[in-house]
Amino acid sequence: MKVAMTINGTSQQHEIEPRVLLVQFIREVAGLTGTNVGCDTTSCGTCTVLLDGESVKSCTILAVQADGAQITTIEGLAEPGTLHPMQEAFRENHALQCGFCTPGMVLAAVSLLQENAHPSEQEVRSALEGNLCRCTGYHNIVKAILAAADAAEVPA
Amino acid sequence: MSDIATTHATKGTIGENASRPDGGPKVRGEFAFSGDLWADGMLWGRTLRSPHPAARIIAIDIAAALRIPGVHAVVTAADLPASVNYGLEWRDQPVFATDVVRYVGEPVAAVAADHPEAARQACEAIDVQYEPQVPLLDPAEAAAAPPIHPDGNVFRQLTIRTGDPSARGPIVVEGAYEVGMQDQAFMGPEAGLAIPADDGGIDLIVSTQWLHNDRLQVAECLGLAPEKVRLSLGGVGGAFGAREDVSLQIHACLLAQRTARPIKIVYSREESFLGHVHRHPARIWMRHSAEADGRLVSFEARILLDGGAYRSSSYHVVANATCFSAGPYKVENALAEGIGVRTNNPPCGAMRGFGAVQVCFAHEAQMDKLAEACGVDPVEIRLRNALATGDRLLTGQVIEGTLPVARVIREAAALPLPPSPEIADPMTRPGGAGRTADAAHVRRGIGFAVGFKNLMYAEGYMDGSAARCRLSDGLATVTCAAAEVGQGFVTLAQQIARTVLGVEDVLLAPADTSIGSAGSSSASRQTWMSGGAVEKACQAVRAALLQHVADRHGIDPAQLTITDGRVTSTDARDSIDLAVADAAPGVVFEEEVEYHHRITHPLDDDGQGDAHVSLVCAAHRAVVDVDPDLGLIRVVQVATAQDVGRALNPLQVLGQIEGGIAQGLGLATMEELTLRNGRILNPSFTDYLIPTALDMPEVLATLVEEPEPGAPFGAKGVGEPPTISSTPAIVAALRAATGKALNRVPVRPQDIALGDGE
């Protein structure tokens, strides 16, 4: 069946089987491999993307359910050659090691700050509960998100 | 010894918190993990695995699978052109099962198809007739049971005897302990792409810890010369020991050879749990005796490790578990017996801490029992027995390098404690968001533990690493096959090159088999071994550059040095002052070297010998809150001091410490692969739980820097110590809070709510 959505500002219209997951559509049809697959059971959050601005685990929904939606993946978060403040904060704060969880973490964090611009540390941790990281022990990830929130407070 | 001072005008040298070179690509989603690879015309590979822990294979019929549209090949053991076995250290593991299967998950066949779904259907259509056998599942029965493999059921039995076996102190404590099967649970499942080459060879891009060892095993099984098998490192989504053994490498290459098409294999999370080794489950008995003041007189241990169906690294895990079974404590009279056995359980092998983790859980519980029996504070009893430089290990080896055990104990114990139980925010109580713990019932406990292990491989292993450095007009390029698995070796390689050469632009060539082996990214060894190789290569280039400048100026190169990014003369009359980038315009300096550590020796019949290159230690203090009625816990804080030799990148060291503590917390409180009849019951992240951001405690860390003689820049590997003593510290805190014995990890809620008291 036909599905049409906008991914990172680019229209994607394709004929697909109904069983195709959104993450498969993103990785294999649209060719955007920054969105990772870590578990297949909606546990790890490495496949997190923004669907109409809200973070979702793209292994949990079918591509057809995203018909008509605006999708942002990690590749679309900032203009080419630049970094989104959250990406910059992750890089600056050594909030990654292997980096497999990083795209999902960054997008979950962006989504959090859209809902709650000044989260407490505890709120950040609660918001990340669905995103697993096996390398860092999370502290630098939390630090990065709080730093990005702090930086956003300073008027431009 | 490294004699280069940090050149402060050059940014990003050793000792600084230099940024990861892959940090930008990783936050942008541009970093190519091995599962992201794609090739024109590629097919999807998939593995059929045994559903039985032990069975005879009567027949395999692949005809129906081959008839499925889109299926290009189905291969079994009969299709292997050369060796049918592989293995990390010993080739005892069939690439595909032939006459028998020995564990649930053992590969039986592999298929290649033009779509993953066709590959899945083909695997289902392969008709394997099994005749199930009674599996050997209890490791305690394995040694005496009929052999389940031609190589027998004992991987290794190691006895360490020292001093007088009959010596006894007046205070005696003993206990039996058990460690469950932990999984490395890296985030990026196994993946690789094998591409057949025009010369009859294979190019394989794969996430691994050790390119050259994989290459050798692939070449042996495919009947190719090693140089015809070219591996390059695909982006690795974490490793922690689980990628040291071959998983899909041979399957993918065989299918590529057979179909003459590129083959991509990506494991699902479930297949990842089946397709790599785990941490050895352990049953450990220990008896300590001491003088009334707590000074150890004798130590006895019996350690049983379940290695599962194939050997992997069991031989050396037994050595580590036995060598380090007494912990970092002086004891003159000891008898320690370790055995690793073969069963029909899933194979076990390397995981962060490698044998030291299991015994640390036991010896630290014993030290607490001893402290109580002697009426001595747990920290004090450890100080009274702490090993130091000049002391002997159980193996008789004299500690020649640094091992600041007493200092890490004191520093960890001195870190501030957290505020008293915070009852205002229910989210911070045990049970967290469940808000189930009654604040009035919450009890706090504090526990302490110390651990140690070796760095690098042991017992005479001739370890080495190769590196190449190229310098041209101020741009350095470093080539080394060391696997970057997330630990940050790439950052250190750049920092080392900048420090030696005084340049800031350092490119890292891709890690592949075009250069000699760098050895494995394991045993906390790459900072030392490949860091040493990079330093040596850069030193050779530096010498060549200085010779070149000296020749041009007609002076002795010994008068030249590189300081603050400039070539200058120590003799002011020479007036040489050139930026490194301008010192030899157009000249290319290139040097390739191999680095080796000092020679070690095998252990003798009494387990005695100079077997270990270097040792590293850490101490952990844990604070927990517990709801004893519900068995709910919250780890509030972990404070640690770690022996690091010298911190080449303190931020990265802290990252290793925090990440390692998370895995130690996992083993203490939640992580276990549960088996029934040899089958893993929880091969998913919904059922195998790892710590989340909410589970992580506050971490306080002190880096103890006592440079290690012989180590490049004095630095020790830092990856493993955080995972060794964090687990027993947390369990000690749980015992303190609950009064329960808690002799098994992971500690489950029912162990606290319903378990036996001490």
Side-chain angles (χ1 to χ4, degrees):
Chain A
M1 58 198 293
K2 194 174 222 174
V3 63
M5 66 185 86
T6 305
I7 305 182
N8 302 334
T10 302
S11 169
Q12 298 276 356
Q13 284 196 51
H14 297 278
E15 196 70 33
I16 58 164
E17 291 184 59
R19 65 178 168 193
V20 170
L21 299 170
L22 178 58
V23 69
Q24 293 169 327
F25 187 86
I26 290 168
R27 286 179 58 86
E28 290 159 28
V29 180
L32 296 166
T33 55
T35 305
N36 292 320
V37 179
C39 74
D40 334 295
T41 51
T42 321
S43 313
C44 78
T46 62
C47 66
T48 303
V49 299
L50 302 183
L51 188 152
D52 293 333
E54 287 205 32
S55 68
V56 296
K57 294 182 179 179
S58 61
C59 76
T60 305
I61 54 172
L62 296 164
V64 294
Q65 291 175 286
D67 191 42
Q70 299 274 344
I71 304 290
T72 304
T73 72
I74 192 69
E75 294 95 336
L77 198 55
E79 293 296 316
T82 67
L83 291 179
H84 183 278
M86 190 61 74
Q87 291 171 313
E88 184 61 45
F90 268 63
R91 204 180 67 89
E92 276 292 301
N93 287 279
H94 189 50
L96 60 98
Q97 290 178 30
C98 86
F100 200 83
C101 73
T102 308
M105 285 283 183
V106 167
L107 290 166
V110 167
S111 178
L112 166 67
L113 294 198
Q114 279 168 6
E115 289 166 25
N116 178 357
H118 309 296
S120 66
E121 179 185 335
Q122 192 63 28
E123 286 169 335
V124 171
R125 289 182 181 275
S126 295
L128 295 184
E129 203 189 9
N131 291 75
L132 299 176
C133 170
R134 190 58 159 168
C135 296
T136 68
Y138 303 98
H139 287 317
N140 286 340
I141 292 172
V142 174
K143 253 183 233 167
I145 296 167
L146 292 172
D150 278 352
E153 282 178 42
V154 181
Chain B
M1 270 299 276
S2 312
D3 57 353
I4 308 285
T6 304
T7 51
H8 293 288
T10 309
K11 290 201 187 78
T13 56
I14 61 164
E16 292 180 56
N17 293 327
S19 300
R20 301 180 64 98
D22 56 8
K26 282 177 174 175
V27 298
R28 283 195 293 265
E30 291 168 359
F31 183 84
F33 289 99
S34 54
D36 299 340
L37 303 169
W38 204 269
D40 287 340
M42 77 179 193
L43 302 172
W44 296 81
R46 191 178 172 97
T47 318
L48 176 69
R49 295 174 183 275
S50 166
H52 301 289
R56 284 207 189 93
I57 295 177
I58 307 301
I60 303 177
D61 183 354
I62 62 170
L66 283 170
R67 283 196 296 271
I68 290 173
V71 171
H72 289 248
V74 179
V75 292
T76 65
D79 297 292
L80 285 160
S83 288
V84 296
N85 284 348
Y86 74 104
L88 179 61
E89 299 175 350
W90 186 259
R91 312 294 197 240
D92 73 335
Q93 186 157 5
V95 176
F96 297 111
T98 48
D99 49 340
V100 294
V101 289
R102 296 190 181 87
Y103 74 97
V104 176
E106 176 156 7
V108 175
V111 305
D114 58 11
H115 191 280
E117 185 54 24
R120 188 189 63 77
Q121 288 172 7
C123 280
E124 282 186 2
I126 298 171
D127 183 16
V128 186
Q129 287 181 45
Y130 294 101
E131 185 181 286
Q133 308 287 305
V134 177
L136 172 59
L137 300 172
D138 183 352
E141 293 173 0
I148 58 169
H149 187 283
D151 293 347
N153 293 350
V154 177
F155 295 122
R156 186 175 195 179
Q157 191 156 16
L158 175 64
T159 302
I160 296 176
R161 284 183 205 88
T162 186
D164 172 8
S166 64
R168 282 287 175 282
I171 310 287
V172 178
V173 293
E174 71 176 278
Y177 306 92
E178 214 175 305
V179 177
M181 185 184 282
Q182 188 181 22
D183 192 82
Q184 300 84 350
F186 48 63
M187 297 309 295
E190 290 85 346
L193 179 67
I195 304 169
D198 293 341
D199 66 350
I202 300 273
D203 293 291
L204 173 66
I205 312 162
V206 68
S207 41
T208 179
Q209 290 175 232
W210 192 352
L211 290 164
H212 287 72
N213 200 324
D214 287 3
R215 168 161 87 164
L216 207 57
Q217 294 176 67
V218 170
E220 282 175 17
C221 293
L222 265 59
L224 294 171
E227 57 273 17
K228 286 279 180 76
V229 179
R230 292 161 295 256
L231 268 72
S232 44
L233 189 67
V236 184
F240 316 115
R243 294 189 212 264
E244 199 161 42
D245 290 82
V246 158
S247 56
L248 53 77
Q249 287 86 331
I250 304 169
H251 303 160
C253 290
L254 178 65
L255 288 169
Q257 200 180 43
R258 171 58 71 95
T259 60
R261 298 269 291 267
I263 302 289
K264 175 170 176 165
I265 299 182
V266 181
Y267 284 0
S268 66
R269 177 55 56 183
E270 180 175 353
E271 189 168 18
S272 178
F273 276 110
L274 298 177
H276 64 240
V277 297
H278 317 289
R279 190 190 296 290
H280 290 72
R283 296 180 198 172
I284 299 169
W285 170 86
M286 285 183 183
R287 182 161 60 195
H288 289 63
S289 82
E291 303 290 357
D293 65 0
R295 277 182 296 117
L296 290 171
V297 174
S298 69
F299 169 73
E300 296 158 278
R302 288 198 294 271
I303 302 148
L304 172 64
L305 300 171
D306 184 355
Y310 296 103
R311 189 167 117 161
S312 179
S313 51
S314 282
Y315 186 87
H316 290 110
V317 174
V318 169
N320 263 26
T322 315
C323 286
F324 307 117
S325 56
Y329 306 114
K330 273 179 284 198
V331 54
E332 286 180 11
N333 309 298
L335 175 62
E337 299 169 291
I339 184 170
V341 295
R342 192 191 305 270
T343 65
N344 292 116
N345 289 318
C348 290
M351 182 176 173
R352 195 176 195 171
F354 201 80
V357 165
Q358 291 92 330
V359 291
C360 190
F361 174 63
H363 66 64
E364 287 308 275
Q366 286 284 105
M367 292 305 281
D368 283 345
K369 282 185 183 172
L370 192 62
E372 190 172 351
C374 297
V376 177
D377 178 79
V379 172
E380 176 58 29
I381 202 159
R382 289 171 168 85
L383 284 170
R384 283 182 192 172
N385 289 289
L387 279 176
T389 304
D391 291 336
R392 286 181 186 276
L393 303 176
L394 289 188
T395 52
Q397 178 173 346
V398 175
I399 302 165
E400 287 173 357
T402 58
L403 191 66
V405 177
R407 191 165 160 204
V408 298
I409 293 172
R410 285 200 187 92
E411 300 260 14
L415 287 164
L417 284 161
S420 58
E422 170 61 71
I423 54 167
D425 183 358
M427 287 291 286
T428 64
R429 273 183 225 151
R435 298 178 187 230
T436 41
D438 184 331
H441 291 183
V442 171
R443 286 195 225 148
R444 174 156 289 190
I446 300 175
F448 203 86
V450 193
F452 85 141
K453 82 175 285 288
N454 53 353
L455 298 171
M456 276 81 76
Y457 292 178
E459 297 182 79
Y461 183 79
M462 293 302 288
D463 199 3
S465 177
R468 188 187 309 134
C469 175
R470 184 180 193 273
L471 180 69
S472 173
D473 297 325
L475 173 66
T477 307
V478 171
T479 307
C480 181
E484 171 61 45
V485 298
Q487 80 275 41
F489 175 74
V490 287
T491 325
L492 297 187
Q494 286 188 323
Q495 290 179 264
I496 290 167
R498 290 185 190 120
T499 304
V500 176
L501 297 171
V503 298
E504 285 174 13
D505 293 335
V506 180
L507 284 179
L508 296 176
D512 59 32
T513 50
S514 67
I515 188 170
S517 177
S520 177
S521 290
S522 64
S524 297
R525 61 178 284 291
Q526 290 295 22
T527 296
W528 186 315
M529 295 305 298
S530 292
V534 169
E535 188 204 1
K536 192 174 167 185
C538 292
Q539 291 279 18
V541 162
R542 175 188 162 109
L545 170 71
L546 295 182
Q547 183 71 54
H548 177 89
V549 174
D551 289 348
R552 277 189 27 202
H553 290 81
I555 60 168
D556 180 357
Q559 280 171 242
L560 294 175
T561 184
I562 296 176
T563 311
D564 294 347
R566 302 189 74 80
V567 179
T568 56
S569 172
T570 50
D571 186 339
R573 290 169 301 180
D574 292 336
S575 70
I576 292 171
D577 184 9
L578 298 161
V580 172
D582 306 326
V587 182
V588 176
F589 303 94
E590 185 164 321
E591 300 287 344
E592 186 171 328
V593 303
E594 264 193 45
Y595 178 87
H596 298 276
H597 59 62
R598 72 176 180 84
I599 289 170
T600 61
H601 301 278
L603 297 168
D604 67 17
D605 289 347
D606 288 325
Q608 301 294 296
D610 185 10
H612 303 291
V613 179
S614 174
L615 301 161
V616 65
C617 63
H620 289 84
R621 184 195 65 203
V623 178
V624 302
D625 285 345
V626 183
D627 182 325
D629 300 329
L630 298 174
L632 298 174
I633 65 169
R634 177 182 178 82
V635 183
V636 178
Q637 184 201 64
V638 173
T640 180
Q642 184 169 325
D643 161 32
V644 302
R646 180 173 175 196
L648 301 189
N649 185 318
L651 194 58
Q652 286 199 168
V653 174
L654 285 170
Q656 288 295 311
I657 288 174
E658 290 167 355
I661 287 171
Q663 293 181 4
L665 183 153
L667 179 59
T669 64
M670 64 184 83
E671 290 185 32
E672 182 174 9
L673 287 173
T674 311
L675 303 180
R676 184 181 297 155
N677 198 31
R679 176 191 308 278
I680 297 172
L681 295 179
N682 53 342
S684 76
F685 280 157
T686 50
D687 297 313
Y688 183 88
L689 301 183
I690 64 173
T692 69
L694 283 169
D695 296 310
M696 263 309 274
E698 174 190 31
V699 171
L700 303 178
T702 300
L703 308 185
V704 173
E705 296 192 272
E706 294 189 5
E708 173 75 336
F713 303 100
K716 292 184 177 182
V718 299
E720 292 176 287
T723 310
I724 298 173
S725 43
S726 49
T727 301
I730 289 166
V731 179
L734 293 172
R735 289 188 196 108
T738 63
K740 303 285 185 181
L742 308 180
N743 288 330
R744 186 183 194 282
V745 279
V747 175
R748 302 164 303 175
Q750 58 264 44
D751 298 328
I752 291 172
L754 309 171
D756 294 332
E758 292 201 72

